[in-house]
Amino acid sequence: MTIILETRSLSYSYGDGTKALKDVSISLEAGKKVALVGPNGAGKSTLMLMFNGILRPREGEVLFRGRSMSYDAASLRSIRRAVGMVFQNSDDQLFAPTVYQDVAFGPTNLGYAAEKVKRYAGFALQYVGLLGYERRPPHHLSGGEKKRVAIAGILAMEPEVIILDEPTSNLDPASSEEIMEMLDELNLGGKTLIISTHDVDLAYRWADEVILMKDGGVVRRGTGQEVFGDAELIRDARLKLPLVVDLYQELAGRSIVRGAKPPRNILELCDLLQPKAETRAGVWGKIYICNVDEIDGEEIRAMLDKIPVDFKGAMGTSAKVMAEKCGISIDFTYGVIDKCILKALIGKSSIIMTSGGMVEHTLQRIKDYGLESGTKIEAIGLLQ
Amino acid sequence: MHNLLDDYAISNALRETSARLKLFLGLWAILLSVSSTTPIAPLFLAITMSLITVMLAKIPGRIYSRLLLVPLSFALLSAGVVAFMHGSGQTLFSLQLFGLNLAIREEGANLAVLLIARTFGGMCSLYFIALTTPMIEIFAVLKTLHIPQSVIELSMMIYRYIFVFLDQAAMIHSAQMMRLGDAGTKNSLNSFAMLCSVLFLRSWEQGERLIVAMDSRCYDGKLDLMEPAKGAKPLAILAVAAYLAAATAIAVLTRGVILL
């Protein structure tokens, strides 16, 4: 366990005397997904701006990898490179006249050679699935695309930590799920992610750790189940219970379900509601996993003709780009693994198209589910 | 949302042609139009430039003709004034108005026709540039022309934020209309003044956010990444050269011609 960011009795007040942060001491582990939740004016944004040195604390200190942050130009450059920040409003962040220029802004200012800048920017754009958009001006992009460009601009600087202020505000549900899935992909690649959000459902199911803030201080931190399990605390913080937790508490009150902890997602809730004995063993569907890195569009289509699947899911940008390129209609573009397991439990088979390290992750996730629930669903990796 | 010239510049059929060549063609045509002493060359340019814009660049004819209505009104108004005010030579037309004798003479008529022709020659050439060449490519050309870096960077950001503020202005305007901000002249003026002041404050705030955004990506005084301006194809260069030579020849050969 490595602590990547730490604050020690951090306090900050704005020019007009409002105390935005009061004695905040937290430490964040590397490689985690952290969600800051809390009402408006709780100090989430202020705290985030401290993490990459935009704001300087009045009292206390911020530590990155165990070293206290200093605020001279050179240290700030290295901290801002390591801790990237994606703003809530993409128009605040995208100031260059073309997508490419914006993504290349960071690497250019880091002093990379032109060829290296091009490589980094190209890689970042490919990662967010926007290759071919280089020459477009930002005002010709949709909200979701703008957010992707903003993330690409940060990725091009190869940060260790990415901070996102309300990443899903102003996006349609599908776009926001896709952005969140992309964040999962980044997290699997080893990046530490910190988001702030008002969307309690999102924070609950996405985050490894939830930090609840109120009036400039940290009220509670822990897993989503720990923080959102306390209904009174959540009400005091002007938030609401995630739908799954609310439903679980009502069902538990009627003795319909029993369990020590509320379920994390729909899959766990379904398992709680339908005891294993009732599911008909042996008629579960299968999940096929196909690595789009090792296979081309023609082969995927040929494979789809051969294997009987009821649902198709695509996970990660390159799989989605591939599916779109060869005209395969996709049923699930987010929450893919859970959806496929849910379908397998009612006897439907599905295929998950994905790439790189996520193949292993998918197999592991299905295996873990089997171990946890006792329902072993067959996951078949499709190889050449 | 907005149907701006910029949208056509991004998507027209001549998008991939070298920006430098398009700029050269347009600027030469403008200079030729406004320096011509007879209406023939400007009219030739107006017609051919319109054809190039509509047929080659595939800008919808309806949009293009609507755009031309803007200079048309100005040109007709000023040509009317010029026609009556100037003149020697034979009287072509006269009328009595409240005891005043208003007459169009040969010189005035010639001048008015020349004015209209120049206006249209110039405007059609300018529209050609505006509708076929995106600003971003013009910036790239400016860079190769050694315009100071800071001027270009500033213009790039101004260009980018024009669209942000345009959206904001449109939103503020709708918010005012929804609450009847346009009821009566006094209200309209008041609303407009408020729109301006709010927009000013917002641009100020936006500027501050811009600095934070740039700082958090290690801003070090560099925004110098430009896509390299594409070279022109030999065939395109030949075609443009032939066309401009023809237009210049027409202008030179017809310089002594007097229409009336």
Side-chain angles (χ1 to χ4, degrees), chain B residues 80-101:
Chain B
V81 174
V82 166
F84 281 103
M85 298 301 279
H86 276 263
S88 58
Q90 222 179 329
T91 306
L92 298 172
F93 169 81
S94 71
L95 82 166
Q96 293 286 331
L97 198 68
F98 308 119
L100 277 170
N101 185 22

Side-chain angles (χ1 to χ4, degrees), chain A residues 172-186:
Chain A
D172 58 54
S175 299
S176 51
E177 291 296 345
E178 279 166 25
I179 294 289
M180 292 321 285
E181 205 214 47
M182 191 157 78
L183 297 186
D184 280 340
E185 201 178 335
L186 283 169

Side-chain angles (χ1 to χ4, degrees), chain A residues 52 77 80 87 91-98 100-102 105 108-109 135 137-140 157, chain B residues 6-7 15 136-137 156 160-161 163 206 209-210 213 215-220 222-225 227:
Chain A
N52 72 345
R77 271 170 77 79
R80 284 171 187 166
F87 291 91
D91 278 330
D92 290 346
Q93 189 165 349
L94 307 180
F95 45 77
T98 62
Y100 179 80
Q101 281 175 286
D102 202 274
F105 179 84
T108 308
N109 280 293
R135 278 149 57 95
H139 55 269
H140 281 260
M157 299 172 74
Chain B
D6 193 66
D7 299 330
R15 168 82 151 94
I136 40 179
E137 291 181 8
M156 288 198 297
R160 164 74 185 107
Y161 279 101
F163 297 94
Q206 189 76 47
R209 285 200 294 265
L210 178 66
D215 271 349
S216 47
R217 285 204 272 161
C218 299
Y219 181 57
D220 195 21
K222 283 187 219 133
L223 191 89
D224 59 355
L225 248 127
E227 300 157 71

Side-chain angles (χ1 to χ4, degrees), chain B residues 28-44:
Chain B
W28 188 287
I30 291 175
L31 286 179
L32 211 56
S33 287
V34 298
S35 63
S36 170
T37 49
T38 67
I40 300 172
L43 282 178
F44 169 77

Side-chain angles (χ1 to χ4, degrees), chain A residues 31 39 42 62 95 98 100 114 118 167 194 203 207 234 264 282 320 353 384:
Chain A
V62 182
F95 45 77
T98 62
Y100 179 80
K118 205 168 174 186
I194 305 168
I234 294 301
R264 268 196 80 158
K320 280 172 199 161
M353 286 181 253
Q384 278 298 73

Side-chain angles (χ1 to χ4, degrees), chain B residues 59-75:
Chain B
I59 303 296
R62 269 186 48 200
I63 306 285
Y64 188 70
S65 44
R66 275 235 306 276
L67 280 176
L68 280 184
L69 286 179
V70 181
L72 180 73
S73 49
F74 281 105

Side-chain angles (χ1 to χ4, degrees), chain A residues 355-370:
Chain A
S355 60
M358 283 187 300
V359 176
E360 202 46 48
H361 167 75
T362 309
L363 286 166
Q364 191 60 43
R365 173 87 177 79
I366 297 172
K367 199 171 146 200
D368 287 348
Y369 174 77

